[in-house]
Amino acid sequence: MKKMSVVPASAFNLNCSTIASDKSISHRCAMFSLLSDQKSTIENFLLGEDTLASLNIAQQLGATVTRNGSYVEITPPKELQEPSDVLDCGNAGTAIRLYVGLLSGIDGYFVLSGDKYLRARPMKRVVNPLISIGAKIDGRANGNLAPLTVRGGALEAFRYHSSIDSAQVKSAMILSALRAKEKSYYKENLLSRDHTERMLLGMGAEISFLTDGYIEIMPLTSPLKPLNIRVPSDPSSGFFFAVASAIIPNSTILLENLTLNKTRVEAYKILQDMGAKVEFIQKENIYEPIGDIRVSYNGKLSSVSVNSNIAWLIDELPALSIAMAMAKGTSKVSNAKELRVKESDRISCVLENLNRCGIETKEYEDGYEIVGGVIHKAIIDSFGDHRIAMSFAIAGLVDGMDIEDIECIETSFPNFIEILKEITEVL
């Protein structure tokens, strides 16, 4: 089990153009290329363990994949092939949940699994709505746990109003709708990440947004256009260093070439509400709005209450909790039960580690309270969750930190430690 120790940092001023490529978009590039009949080209594909798992699965389904560093070409087969082995999703919830939706409408037998952490994560949130439209899916714990088996085939059209605001559930249902017999409709209460809709529209899918909040999806009558895309940098990865600059006096960071999609920058706006200086600098808007974000220390942060747009914050809340722990007053997060079904139970795991650091907290079923103070050095358990490992590495910039089980960082941000070393010493 790999460990690392982070040494306290002094003021820093950093321009960063090497933030990890966006994981959500990279996953989708690997999958959506299979919906075309022509070669897709992807620049700046994330070479993390999770996204490479999605790419490997595309190959197992018959695609020809060539890579030159982060430049990837994917040539789909005429028809997706039934694989001879298990489709290994690694630690990637996005991979398993979206592939289940995509493969539900494809003739063949497919088995999807992953590492021990992924095999413990709940899948019924995707499996149940898919079964309701005719998908044949099973797994451990009555279909709630991987390995999942999919016997793909014809699917029924649907009108589905989801009780869960989740981009993974939405994407799985949209992908299944592309193989349905007639047009389908999907609705969520709050807009979750919309990369799936944006990318499929760009590829020529017939998707409409109705005034009653439903998304209308027409089934495919012909292959989609190929992707020709440069994946922007990931704002949720950049957010770790945004927090660093907000809690270390006299520090500034410029994060370059991020997606500025409104569903992806909510955490930066909350950090701004807490008192940090945050600037958004848009440069282009083709598939996604893309630009830079500059974050600067602007005095001690103030506490904040977070209870809305949780679907836009789900990946950043562990790092935002570090900012809350350094703020004046008591911060509260609610309506965030979704945190309990991520790579770890992020509510209990974040709070346990904050308690180790001398921070007072209170746990609720759907959130928590954090009493701001000073984070002290402690021994941190990542619980196999990359975002917990990286969040507490940033916390270590204050008084040092020892973090155990850091292999998980490779799943999403392979050069995280390299960037961290530009700010402080990492042992």
Side-chain angles (χ1 to χ4, degrees):
M1 183 172 66
K2 289 177 64 176
K3 305 177 182 180
M4 72 173 172
S5 295
V6 178
V7 173
S10 53
F12 63 89
N13 191 328
L14 184 65
N15 285 14
C16 190
S17 60
T18 57
I19 293 296
S21 307
D22 192 88
K23 186 167 73 162
S24 297
I25 295 175
S26 293
H27 275 303
R28 286 162 174 77
C29 285
M31 299 176 199
F32 296 177
S33 64
L34 300 175
L35 302 174
S36 180
D37 61 353
Q38 301 174 56
K39 179 174 67 180
S40 290
T41 57
I42 302 115
E43 296 182 64
N44 204 35
F45 186 89
L46 175 63
L47 302 180
E49 292 176 358
D50 278 5
T51 47
L52 290 174
S54 284
L55 204 57
N56 290 337
I57 290 171
Q59 283 185 292
Q60 286 181 267
L61 296 172
T64 300
V65 177
T66 58
R67 281 175 45 200
N68 182 3
S70 62
Y71 177 81
V72 178
E73 294 181 347
I74 306 173
T75 304
K78 290 184 179 179
E79 293 184 358
L80 295 187
Q81 301 172 5
E82 183 179 86
S84 60
D85 204 348
V86 172
L87 302 174
D88 185 359
C89 301
N91 187 244
T94 299
I96 193 168
R97 290 176 177 141
L98 268 64
Y99 266 123
V100 165
L102 188 152
L103 296 173
S104 290
I106 303 294
D107 288 335
Y109 176 75
F110 312 92
V111 180
L112 299 105
S113 192
D115 67 14
K116 65 179 182 180
Y117 300 108
L118 187 64
R119 294 195 304 272
R121 294 175 66 182
M123 296 295 154
K124 277 196 172 180
R125 57 186 37 228
V126 170
V127 169
N128 283 353
L130 288 169
I131 288 176
S132 74
I133 62 170
K136 299 174 181 177
I137 307 169
D138 203 357
R140 293 186 302 122
N142 294 318
N144 191 41
L145 300 176
L148 298 178
T149 61
V150 180
R151 173 66 72 179
L155 299 175
E156 299 297 326
F158 60 85
R159 177 179 288 269
Y160 188 79
H161 186 171
S162 179
S163 61
I164 302 172
D165 302 320
S166 163
Q168 293 179 353
V169 176
K170 175 174 63 176
S171 298
M173 293 296 282
I174 290 174
L175 289 169
S176 69
L178 296 177
R179 303 290 182 181
K181 296 175 182 177
E182 298 178 5
K183 61 185 174 184
S184 297
Y185 299 86
Y186 183 90
K187 183 178 181 178
E188 56 189 349
N189 296 316
L190 171 70
L191 176 67
S192 60
R193 291 182 182 183
D194 60 355
H195 303 304
T196 292
E197 302 96 296
R198 287 173 176 266
M199 293 174 69
L200 290 176
L201 276 170
M203 296 175 73
E206 293 184 62
I207 298 175
S208 303
F209 304 92
L210 307 184
T211 56
D212 61 1
Y214 276 94
I215 303 171
E216 181 184 82
I217 311 107
M218 298 296 293
L220 294 181
T221 56
S222 60
L224 297 179
K225 294 182 291 186
L227 285 166
N228 182 7
I229 186 173
R230 178 177 176 84
V231 179
S233 293
D234 188 340
S236 66
S237 293
F239 190 67
F240 296 107
F241 297 102
V243 170
S245 63
I247 64 174
I248 302 300
N250 304 314
S251 296
T252 296
I253 192 162
L254 179 68
L255 305 166
E256 300 180 1
N257 299 317
L258 309 177
T259 173
L260 301 182
N261 184 314
K262 71 176 183 179
T263 68
R264 301 297 305 280
V265 297
E266 184 74 3
Y268 291 87
K269 293 181 179 178
I270 290 175
L271 199 60
Q272 190 174 44
D273 290 343
M274 295 177 75
K277 185 177 181 181
V278 181
E279 302 170 77
F280 300 93
I281 308 157
Q282 184 170 312
K283 294 179 176 178
E284 63 176 82
N285 191 351
I286 304 172
Y287 283 105
E288 291 271 327
I290 295 172
D292 301 340
I293 303 177
R294 180 182 287 109
V295 181
S296 303
Y297 181 85
N298 195 33
K300 189 171 181 64
L301 299 174
S302 298
S303 59
V304 67
S305 180
V306 178
N307 55 31
S308 61
N309 291 339
I310 297 297
W312 299 359
L313 290 166
I314 209 70
D315 284 338
E316 292 86 354
L317 278 167
L320 193 60
S321 297
I322 303 304
M324 293 173 175
M326 292 291 293
K328 293 179 291 187
T330 299
S331 295
K332 185 172 183 178
V333 175
S334 54
N335 299 323
K337 194 173 181 179
E338 187 80 1
L339 284 170
R340 293 197 183 274
V341 295
K342 299 299 287 181
E343 282 82 340
S344 67
D345 179 340
R346 285 181 175 163
I347 293 177
S348 62
C349 294
V350 165
L351 298 190
E352 178 179 327
N353 282 319
L354 284 175
N355 294 158
R356 295 183 187 189
C357 297
I359 298 297
E360 182 183 343
T361 66
K362 186 173 184 179
E363 182 172 347
Y364 300 97
E365 181 60 25
D366 69 340
Y368 47 86
E369 289 183 0
I370 297 174
V371 180
V374 178
I375 292 173
H376 294 292
K377 184 175 182 179
I379 298 174
I380 298 300
D381 185 347
S382 77
F383 297 96
D385 189 328
H386 54 123
R387 296 199 184 276
I388 289 178
M390 291 185 282
S391 295
F392 281 89
I394 295 304
L397 298 176
V398 177
D399 190 42
M401 201 69 69
D402 296 323
I403 305 158
E404 299 181 328
D405 193 7
I406 65 166
E407 290 94 337
C408 52
I409 293 173
E410 292 291 323
T411 64
S412 67
F413 201 163
N415 65 324
F416 171 80
I417 294 175
E418 179 184 331
I419 298 173
L420 188 62
K421 286 180 177 178
E422 295 187 50
I423 295 174
T424 191
E425 190 175 358
V426 180
L427 308 175

